[in-house]
Amino acid sequence: MARQIFEWDYSQYPGATTYPHVFSPIQIGDLVIPNRIKYAATEDNLNTHDGYVTDEDVAYITSRAKGVAGGICTMQGVYMDERRYGQGYVGQAAAWDDKFIPGLKRLADAIHGERAVANYQLMHCGRVGGVETPVCEGPSYLPQRLRLFKPVHEMSHEEVELSIQQHIDAARRGIEAGFDMMEISGIVGYLISNFLSSYTNRRSDEYGGDIHARCKFMTDIIKGVRKEIGPDIPLIIRICAWEQLDDVGGNTQEESMIVYQEAEKAGVDSISVTVGWQESIVPVISRDIDFGSWLYQAERAKQHITIPVSMAYRLFHADMADQAIADGKIDYWENCRPQIADPLMPLKHLEGREEDIRWCVACNVCLARLFRDAPMTCYINPLCAHEHDPEYYPQPAKTKKTVFVAGGGPAGLECAWVAADRGHEVHVYERRDKLGGTIIDAGKAPYNDDELYHIIEFHKAQCDKRGVEFHLGEEVTAELLEEELPDTLVVAAGSTVRTPTFFGGDRDNVITLHDALYETKPVGDHVVVWGNRKPAIGTALALAKRGKKVTLVGKDRTVGKDINPSFRWRYNIFLRQNGVVSYNDCDIEQVLDGQAILVTYDGHRVPVKCDTVVLGERDPNPTLKAAAQDNSIELYVIGDAVVPRGLSGAVHDGYKTGLRI
Amino acid sequence: MAQVQDKAVEGVKQPKPFDAEMEIAKLWAKCQAAQDEIRRAFYCSREAGIQRAGDDADPTAIALKAWEVRGKDAAKTFFPRINLAKGNLVEEIGKLYVNAWRNQGAVVKLKKSENPDEVFIVWERCPWPTAAKNYGAPMAEDVAGCDLMLQTTIADVALFINRRLKIETLKAIPRGEGTCVRRLWLEH
């Protein structure tokens, strides 16, 4: 008999009409979910090192539960072994003992407090676990491909059976904590996926062999958990439809579908379709992957099983999800990073407030942080992982001020809307006739970098709603300050292109990255780009796409030092694929006719063919500081105007400054 | 060569004219010095291990352990470059060995066999026996060490990709045989 935990009536909301499929109910097992939205489990590294749930994690999950508007909210996966081999993240929650139940209950209660369906996840990290132990564990010993991960301890038969029981015991604790649904994670290199894969499972006992035998560990867990939690609790499993491990002998895509069928037979009520392992050499979720690229895998899964199917990867917008549901490719919509960037993203879709959504830019800084034992953070959401901290929320200003913001880029706009939200009168001056600052230029780079501009659209909408006045095509000048005498000046004027320090830097063929990107000056066939950080890389790639032969020259020891490691590897590949040669730890010494002489950090000189030099190094724009000080105007300098950095530095600076004015 | 015609940016001295031959010569000398430093570091560490182990320890056993550790680490550098879905596996692994030794200053080539599951790696020149001589290590240790390193690497690679890869030494320079020849093959 189907049951529903919370009643939701969406008929009064515009989203119910715009996204009729997303906001229609779905039955998973015996449970009816009011809509087809699921927040997918996400580690946040906010819990204690020994696995106890913290206030920070409860606040984090509460905001995501509110966002799903009555849908499913999944807590982060718990590890279930006291030895902690299953722990893949320093702040991962644990469930290896009943003592963890009260903390887990806080999460379930928090989700229920937002009238959402509480989903509990079991996640033994297997080959990528053991984050604080000398080894991790897996079905077979084989060396790690990535040095980051621990040596693998091959599990004995007894240890395999113990692990199955630990999954079952941990499942019971979840139900006792009050969760409504149960999910098992078997993705990206975690323990269940290790048993499933021909790459990592070479056992000769009953848990190894052909694909059916390799499924036994998974199906034993499913059957055991099902027996423990009873028939009424919906049970989901997350498994790869394609491991992307063909280069090391992983499962074929056909074998993956056999896994799906075995999981269904064993008793799961739904499957979440994923793609790729952490060890895969193929990108899956970075920004360069087009939206909806993996839907064909979900569609393929639906052809092999009869239970509902969901998918998360690069499916950010409700209209995409709605269409995918309408087309029968998925049954419900999962999302993870979009709700890290904006916890209320689905709710805003429901309320017809799409313009208020802070869109995820798929930069993967969240993952980069987790893999380096740091608490979750988000590139474009400063509040992420600070939901528990009242000081991170805008409070009405004690004194209303007139605030001039010099610069309509991401730092200035973020500051502007937050300051206006607190009651200040805010004026944004932007010398260009369009808002966006450096992001307009950054969007000229290939590989979907135009997605970055969504943050500006978000900013503009927030500013408009709060009465921020824009002065486009106008600059803040010393005279203006003297005349208007605002209470506060926020200098968010970004950066300037660094004046060349090399010989021949005054030649006509030495141009700025703006000249190159906007094609306002001619660019020859052989181009040397000065700089090896993101703006220079983006420019180099844009030029390479135009057929230029590009050489990057920068003083940093590695290319893209300002890009987080979980995305930097993509840029390295883009550069290689586009034939861009990088000279790191180098500088330009001189520009001659048809060539540039580069100099290494230790004085060696290298000639490269060069028709044009593009200046891609930046300095902070120091404008207006003196004028503000001369007029006793409260002064803040933010974003690239302090130190040229990425979008994240700008947004975080802007938000925090907006709170302080 | 292009002439310098431009004026300097303020504070920047005019560079000397570019001399390609001199730059290449300097870089080449540095490359060779860096290659020598690899062997110097190895034999100093070997000596440290022997001294630390005391008089009763077997120096060869310590040296072989060091070669084994090098072999394991070499395997780790191979893993990200292995792709079973691309090319001939044995040839691809053979190329990894070749490149590893070229980086150390050896003259080494890959020789194909009529059998697609077999290749020969031929060292026409290798700087390691000379280094062994310079540091007073026996030639027998050099052969055994190099062999152990190759064996350790291939064992880990074979384990990693679940294939029965083997390597054997057919000829060795330190044995006075002129070249080192290793046979690398895939067993079915």
Side-chain angles (χ1 to χ4, degrees):
Chain A
M1 176 90 175
R3 62 198 173 87
Q4 188 164 341
I5 298 168
F6 297 107
E7 296 287 337
W8 281 73
D9 176 11
Y10 299 123
S11 60
Q12 59 187 310
Y13 295 102
T17 312
T18 317
Y19 314 107
H21 301 94
V22 168
F23 291 102
S24 66
I26 182 171
Q27 184 171 336
I28 303 175
D30 287 338
L31 191 62
V32 175
I33 318 291
N35 65 37
R36 295 176 179 232
I37 299 163
K38 177 187 172 198
Y39 174 63
T42 312
E43 293 309 311
D44 54 28
N45 268 350
L46 295 177
N47 295 311
T48 66
H49 279 226
D50 45 4
Y52 289 99
V53 171
T54 61
D55 290 348
E56 287 87 339
D57 190 38
V58 173
Y60 175 91
I61 208 72
T62 302
S63 58
R64 274 75 196 170
K66 184 175 183 183
V68 297
I72 301 165
C73 182
T74 315
M75 67 164 292
Q76 64 176 261
V78 295
Y79 66 94
M80 63 292 290
D81 60 322
E82 186 178 0
R83 289 195 300 189
R84 299 169 71 185
Y85 289 173
Q87 184 185 9
Y89 304 89
V90 290
Q92 187 180 348
W96 54 264
D97 190 275
D98 287 358
K99 69 184 180 183
F100 295 106
I101 293 174
L104 298 170
K105 185 171 185 311
R106 290 183 68 202
L107 291 174
D109 291 348
I111 296 168
H112 290 153
E114 300 298 336
R115 301 176 61 236
V117 178
N119 188 24
Y120 175 81
Q121 194 192 64
L122 303 169
M123 187 175 85
H124 185 304
C125 292
R127 184 172 171 77
V128 297
V131 68
E132 294 195 306
T133 55
V135 295
C136 59
E137 65 182 357
S140 306
Y141 170 73
L142 70 151
Q144 292 280 13
R145 184 180 221 182
L146 305 174
R147 287 179 190 257
L148 175 71
F149 298 124
K150 300 288 174 68
V152 182
H153 160 72
E154 181 168 318
M155 297 165 80
S156 67
H157 193 270
E158 291 71 32
E159 285 172 323
V160 174
E161 291 184 337
L162 176 65
S163 183
I164 292 167
Q165 189 57 48
Q166 285 169 339
H167 278 79
I168 295 166
D169 294 342
R172 186 228 343 130
R173 293 182 188 111
I175 299 307
E176 286 184 19
F179 283 87
D180 313 305
M181 302 178 80
M182 181 71 53
E183 181 169 288
I184 301 166
S185 180
I187 60 171
V188 303
Y190 298 148
L191 188 62
I192 290 175
S193 64
N194 300 160
F195 273 87
L196 294 171
S197 180
S198 50
Y199 164 49
T200 44
N201 185 348
R202 289 118 187 234
R203 297 181 74 91
S204 53
D205 65 6
E206 63 198 292
Y207 294 102
D210 68 8
I211 185 60
H212 296 281
R214 297 200 300 274
C215 284
K216 181 172 167 53
F217 181 70
M218 173 190 75
T219 54
D220 282 2
I221 289 173
I222 292 171
K223 287 172 189 169
V225 168
R226 168 58 77 206
K227 192 175 169 196
E228 184 68 35
I229 65 178
D232 298 336
I233 303 285
L235 182 57
I236 303 173
I237 191 162
R238 301 194 84 191
I239 342 175
C240 285
W242 184 19
E243 295 175 339
Q244 299 251 40
L245 293 173
D246 301 343
D247 55 325
V248 285
N251 285 352
T252 62
Q253 295 186 53
E254 290 70 32
E255 284 177 317
S256 294
M257 289 302 107
I258 294 172
V259 174
Y260 276 48
Q261 289 166 334
E262 292 281 349
E264 181 177 13
K265 261 197 293 183
V268 296
D269 299 306
S270 173
I271 294 181
S272 163
V273 178
T274 68
V275 179
W277 276 32
Q278 291 183 8
E279 291 176 67
S280 306
I281 54 171
V282 184
V284 174
I285 57 169
S286 45
R287 189 166 56 248
D288 52 302
I289 302 299
D290 290 338
F291 287 123
S293 286
W294 302 113
L295 273 173
Y296 77 98
Q297 288 289 356
E299 196 175 7
R300 207 166 65 87
K302 280 188 70 68
Q303 289 162 3
H304 289 81
I305 53 176
T306 60
I307 50 180
V309 157
S310 63
M311 175 171 256
Y313 293 21
R314 286 295 273 161
L315 208 55
F316 286 7
H317 299 253
D319 54 355
M320 296 172 195
D322 202 73
Q323 191 61 51
I325 296 168
D327 294 344
K329 294 178 179 173
I330 56 172
D331 296 293
Y332 59 110
W333 175 37
E334 275 185 284
N335 67 77
C336 175
R337 291 175 303 161
Q339 272 195 266
I340 295 173
D342 191 333
L344 304 184
M345 183 271 282
L347 179 66
K348 288 174 181 175
H349 275 110
L350 176 66
E351 294 173 347
R353 295 194 291 125
E354 287 87 343
E355 74 280 5
D356 290 342
I357 296 172
R358 254 186 216 272
W359 292 107
C360 172
V361 294
C363 69
N364 292 348
V365 79
C366 43
L367 299 176
R369 297 267 300 179
L370 296 179
F371 293 149
R372 282 151 192 85
D373 304 339
M376 164 79 79
T377 196
C378 176
Y379 199 70
I380 48 121
N381 175 12
L383 192 55
C384 177
H386 294 282
E387 291 86 356
H388 63 286
D389 186 348
E391 290 191 6
Y392 263 77
Y393 292 86
Q395 304 293 340
K398 287 179 186 152
T399 311
K400 188 181 166 187
K401 295 177 182 173
T402 306
V403 179
F404 278 20
V405 178
L413 293 174
E414 182 79 27
C415 177
W417 85 260
V418 176
D421 193 71
R422 295 177 55 228
H424 296 308
E425 179 191 325
V426 182
H427 297 259
V428 173
Y429 289 82
E430 169 54 47
R431 67 181 169 82
R432 299 195 212 190
D433 57 3
K434 187 181 177 187
L435 294 172
T438 307
I439 294 305
I440 302 172
D441 312 327
K444 293 278 180 189
Y447 300 105
N448 294 332
D449 276 3
D450 55 338
E451 280 182 39
L452 298 172
Y453 197 75
H454 291 319
I455 187 72
I456 302 300
E457 289 164 347
F458 162 81
H459 283 145
K460 186 171 184 314
Q462 304 318 301
C463 287
D464 283 343
K465 287 186 178 184
R466 291 162 180 84
V468 172
E469 203 169 316
F470 294 117
H471 304 264
L472 297 181
E474 286 184 51
E475 284 192 67
V476 178
T477 59
E479 294 72 35
L480 181 74
L481 290 177
E482 207 168 323
E483 194 177 316
E484 298 286 339
L485 286 178
D487 300 306
T488 303
L489 171 67
V490 178
V491 176
S495 58
T496 56
V497 174
R498 182 174 297 165
T499 306
T501 50
F502 47 82
F503 207 79
D506 57 343
R507 284 177 169 236
D508 290 342
N509 63 342
V510 179
I511 64 174
T512 68
L513 58 86
H514 304 100
D515 293 330
L517 288 171
Y518 294 97
E519 303 184 56
T520 49
K521 287 192 179 171
V523 178
D525 290 338
H526 292 88
V527 186
V528 170
V529 177
W530 190 45
N532 60 355
R533 295 197 170 192
K534 179 63 188 16
I537 295 168
T539 307
L541 290 170
L543 292 172
K545 290 286 182 198
R546 282 191 227 152
K548 310 296 182 189
K549 175 80 185 109
V550 184
T551 304
L552 264 184
V553 183
K555 288 182 181 173
D556 287 335
R557 200 172 162 81
T558 53
V559 71
K561 196 180 165 192
D562 56 337
I563 303 169
N564 83 74
S566 292
F567 207 102
R568 189 190 304 146
W569 72 282
R570 297 297 305 135
Y571 280 105
N572 285 326
I573 290 172
F574 300 156
L575 291 170
R576 202 163 60 235
Q577 286 172 343
N578 287 281
V580 177
V581 176
S582 301
Y583 285 89
N584 304 315
D585 231 350
C586 285
D587 203 353
I588 299 175
E589 186 184 64
Q590 55 183 320
V591 180
L592 304 170
D593 292 333
Q595 70 174 355
I597 305 297
L598 315 183
V599 59
T600 65
Y601 71 96
D602 58 348
H604 289 288
R605 300 158 89 200
V606 182
V608 295
K609 277 189 187 174
C610 172
D611 305 316
T612 306
V613 173
V614 176
L615 305 174
E617 294 276 17
R618 298 181 299 161
D619 283 322
N621 188 347
T623 183
L624 297 169
K625 287 180 197 168
Q629 283 157 354
D630 290 348
N631 290 289
S632 300
I633 296 168
E634 181 185 31
L635 173 69
Y636 296 91
V637 183
I638 63 173
D640 286 355
V642 184
V643 177
R645 289 163 288 166
L647 171 59
S648 180
V651 171
H652 285 242
D653 272 13
Y655 187 83
K656 288 172 194 166
T657 305
L659 294 179
R660 280 164 52 198
I661 294 170
Chain B
M1 186 190 302
Q3 295 300 307
V4 177
Q5 297 169 335
D6 308 83
K7 63 178 184 290
V9 174
E10 198 177 341
V12 178
K13 277 199 326 196
Q14 178 165 337
K16 289 182 214 161
F18 178 71
D19 180 344
E21 190 180 338
M22 187 188 74
E23 295 296 337
I24 290 168
K26 278 185 350 193
L27 277 171
W28 180 236
K30 275 203 172 179
C31 176
Q32 288 180 318
Q35 290 170 345
D36 289 344
E37 197 61 35
I38 297 168
R39 286 175 281 281
R40 196 171 293 132
F42 176 82
Y43 278 104
C44 288
S45 301
R46 170 189 176 275
E47 184 60 27
I50 290 168
Q51 286 185 21
R52 187 75 181 82
D55 293 340
D56 297 339
D58 174 8
T60 305
I62 293 164
L64 290 182
K65 189 68 195 172
W67 282 105
E68 185 189 337
V69 171
R70 283 199 72 207
K72 282 215 166 282
D73 198 71
K76 284 180 188 167
T77 66
F78 283 18
F79 296 153
R81 295 175 171 82
I82 292 171
N83 189 341
L84 290 175
K86 215 169 84 176
N88 175 301
L89 174 66
V90 180
E91 274 180 40
E92 294 302 314
I93 303 292
K95 283 181 197 166
L96 292 173
Y97 274 122
V98 166
N99 286 334
W101 254 264
R102 279 183 181 164
N103 290 342
Q104 298 169 51
V107 178
V108 53
K109 289 172 183 163
L110 194 71
K111 205 173 144 194
K112 290 185 187 178
S113 157
E114 286 180 1
N115 176 358
D117 290 334
E118 176 185 69
V119 292
F120 295 94
I121 307 166
V122 181
W123 281 255
E124 293 174 357
R125 198 190 76 179
C126 180
W128 280 95
T130 309
K133 182 171 168 287
N134 291 344
Y135 283 90
M139 285 297 114
E141 178 191 302
D142 187 63
V143 180
C146 197
D147 194 53
L148 182 59
M149 181 184 172
L150 295 160
Q151 297 290 352
T152 308
T153 303
I154 207 68
D156 271 12
V157 169
L159 188 58
F160 178 66
I161 53 175
N162 206 18
R163 299 286 190 280
R164 299 181 68 184
L165 284 163
K166 306 276 181 187
I167 195 164
E168 66 177 351
T169 300
L170 303 178
K171 288 169 82 175
I173 294 170
R175 290 200 299 242
E177 294 168 323
T179 56
C180 293
V181 179
R182 265 98 189 188
R183 174 179 169 240
L184 173 68
W185 77 101
L186 178 66
E187 260 183 18
H188 291 286

